[in-house]
Amino acid sequence: METLFFYFLRRGLWETKEEYKGSKAIGPEDWERLFAMAHEQAVTGWLIDGVGRTAMRPDRSVWEQWLFHLLYLEQMNRLAERCGQQWLERLEKAGMPAFVFKGTSVALWYQQPLHRSPGDVDVVLKDGWSRLKPMLAEAGIAFRDENGDIVVQENERVPVELHARWEYVYNPVVNARLQRLCEEADETDRELYLVCLMLHIRRHFLTYGIGLKQVCDVAVMLRHAELDGKKVAILLKRLHVERFGRILFGFIENYIGGTEAYPLKPVKRGKGAELFRNVVLRDGYRLKMEREEKARNMRFRIGRIVGNAWFWVRRGWTLLGIMPGEVMSFLVYKAGKRIFRHG
C-alpha cells in the first residue's frame, strides 16, 4: 500500500507519466486506506491529482467526493491567500512591513498551488515587532502569545501566526548566526528560505513530529526554485544542519523524487534514514494530536510536567544520532524554561 501511495503522490507532484509496476488490484478498502494515509500526512490534493493522471479510479461516488474535496482545498487556499494579503496591508499601514512565509508562499512553487493542504498563514514582520501587541489591542483584535509568536484568528477557518523571525534553533550560538543571516537577507533569498524550511522540519522532529507536506515543500523547491546548490550547502554547514539535511534529501530521493540536484549527497540508507522515515510516516501529525489530547485529560499539573519531561528525554535520546547538538540544546532549553517559570 505504501508503494502505491507514493506512486500516486509522485504522479500528482511532478505530473509525470511514471507507470505503476505493481500487480495488485485496488479495491474499495484500498482506496479508503490511501485517502486516509494522504489525509494523515496533509497531502490529499496531490494524491487526487496523481490518481487523476492514471487510468485507475475508485468508485464513481468516491471519486466525486474526492473532487469535491479538491474544490474545498482550492476555496480554503484562496481564503488563506486573501487573509494573508489583508494582514500585509494592515501591517504596512501601521508601519510594520511584513511578508508571508511558508504556507501559501511556498505553495507558489507547486504545479497546482491551490492543491496544497492549507494550514496557518505565517506572517513575518520585518520591523515594528515591539509595536504589534499595542496595535492589536487598540484595534480590538483578540490574540494570544504562543512561545513568543502572536496568534490571531479573526476568521474561524484561517488562523494567522505573526512572527518576529523567519525561524529559530535551540542552540544559542547557531541561533544568533541564523538571526544575523535573516536580518541581512530578504524574502527573495530562496536559498535561505529553503534552509529555514529544513530547520522548521528539524524543530518539529524534536517536538511532535512532522508530516509529508513539509517534506514535499523542500522537494518542490529543490526542483523548481532554481537554487544555488553551493550556497545552500554552505548555509547548511554554517547552521550545523548538514547531517539532518543529507538524511532529508535521502528520504526525498527514496520516496518522492523530482530532482537529482541535491546541495549535499543524500543519505539513503542506515539508522538515520530509517529513523527519519519512522518519524515522518509513523508519527506524522498524529503524535502532536495525541500529546495534546493526553495533556487535556491529565487532571494534575505535576503529572503533566513529569510526563512531558519523560517524553522530551526519550524523544531527544532517540533523535540524538541525527541532530546531536540541537537535541542537547533543546533539552537544556526545556529544563530552563520549567525552572524559570516555576522558580
Side-chain angles (χ1 to χ4, degrees):
M1 189 58 63
E2 187 178 285
T3 300
L4 189 61
F5 170 74
F6 278 107
Y7 165 72
F8 287 130
L9 183 67
R10 290 191 298 272
R11 289 294 302 258
L13 281 172
W14 312 128
E15 299 187 357
T16 62
K17 295 182 179 180
E18 176 187 351
E19 294 297 328
Y20 178 56
K21 298 177 182 179
S23 57
K24 181 181 182 297
I26 310 175
E29 292 183 358
D30 297 320
W31 289 115
E32 184 178 345
R33 179 59 188 143
L34 284 168
F35 190 86
M37 290 169 68
H39 187 265
E40 288 174 355
Q41 297 288 342
V43 293
T44 50
W46 306 320
L47 172 79
I48 297 168
D49 285 341
V51 173
R53 293 183 61 80
T54 73
M56 296 180 274
R57 291 286 190 284
D59 292 340
R60 181 174 177 176
S61 61
V62 173
W63 182 241
E64 287 177 351
Q65 290 175 28
W66 286 18
L67 294 181
F68 278 118
H69 179 77
L70 269 187
L71 292 175
Y72 169 76
L73 291 182
E74 292 176 359
Q75 271 187 331
M76 290 300 298
N77 275 308
R78 289 192 179 98
L79 180 60
E81 188 176 355
R82 287 197 301 272
C83 188
Q85 188 57 41
Q86 288 167 1
W87 270 98
L88 294 186
E89 293 170 0
R90 174 184 282 168
L91 291 166
E92 182 71 32
K93 189 176 180 180
M96 290 178 261
F99 61 93
V100 174
F101 193 59
K102 299 181 293 189
T104 55
S105 174
V106 76
L108 298 176
W109 297 113
Y110 285 88
Q111 303 280 68
Q112 299 289 343
L114 295 178
H115 293 179
R116 181 184 185 274
S117 292
D120 300 337
V121 175
D122 292 284
V123 176
V124 178
L125 272 67
K126 300 178 185 179
D127 191 23
W129 181 258
S130 62
R131 293 183 278 116
L132 178 61
K133 287 184 180 180
M135 184 272 279
L136 295 174
E138 185 178 345
I141 299 171
F143 64 89
R144 65 181 185 274
D145 190 314
E146 288 191 356
N147 299 317
D149 297 321
I150 302 301
V151 181
V152 297
Q153 195 160 354
E154 291 180 298
N155 187 307
E156 291 183 2
R157 296 188 294 174
V158 185
V160 176
E161 291 189 2
L162 303 167
H163 307 277
R165 49 197 174 179
W166 294 30
E167 187 51 65
Y168 65 91
V169 298
Y170 293 104
N171 183 310
V173 176
V174 178
N175 188 57
R177 188 177 301 158
L178 172 63
Q179 300 315 316
R180 284 196 300 271
L181 287 168
C182 293
E183 287 169 7
E184 294 166 1
D186 60 35
E187 65 271 26
T188 63
D189 189 326
R190 296 188 297 268
E191 290 78 16
L192 185 56
Y193 190 116
L194 173 70
V195 171
C196 284
L197 289 182
M198 294 170 64
L199 290 171
H200 184 74
I201 291 172
R202 190 180 69 167
R203 183 158 59 83
H204 275 272
F205 260 62
L206 276 169
T207 52
Y208 294 119
I210 196 83
L212 273 174
K213 180 173 72 170
Q214 277 74 20
V215 177
C216 289
D217 287 346
V218 172
V220 166
M221 284 200 72
L222 288 172
R223 182 180 176 102
H224 293 304
E226 297 180 358
L227 299 161
D228 180 339
K230 290 183 178 179
K231 181 179 177 181
V232 173
I234 290 170
L235 287 170
L236 292 173
K237 291 175 183 177
R238 288 190 66 189
L239 297 171
H240 296 195
V241 71
E242 247 184 307
R243 184 183 304 185
F244 184 83
R246 291 182 63 204
I247 293 171
L248 168 58
F249 296 151
F251 181 89
I252 292 171
E253 177 71 10
N254 283 337
Y255 296 99
I256 299 173
T259 182
E260 296 178 357
Y262 295 99
L264 297 171
K265 184 179 179 180
V267 172
K268 297 188 286 184
R269 295 177 181 84
K271 291 183 179 179
E274 185 64 23
L275 175 59
F276 190 102
R277 177 188 180 281
N278 287 339
V279 171
V280 173
L281 299 184
R282 292 185 182 178
D283 291 352
Y285 298 110
R286 287 173 293 179
L287 183 59
K288 180 179 181 180
M289 292 184 285
E290 288 171 4
R291 294 296 304 170
E292 290 174 345
E293 179 67 22
K294 192 171 184 178
R296 282 193 295 268
N297 292 334
M298 281 189 179
R299 295 178 56 191
F300 300 106
R301 189 175 186 179
I302 187 64
R304 186 165 63 250
I305 292 172
V306 172
N308 283 338
W310 178 236
F311 172 79
W312 300 129
V313 170
R314 283 189 297 114
R315 190 158 186 82
W317 179 259
T318 301
L319 297 172
L320 197 61
I322 62 175
M323 53 179 95
E326 191 66 359
V327 164
M328 298 309 297
S329 298
F330 171 71
L331 294 176
V332 170
Y333 167 82
K334 282 290 184 183
K337 191 174 178 183
R338 285 296 177 188
I339 291 169
F340 286 112
R341 179 183 296 178
H342 302 291

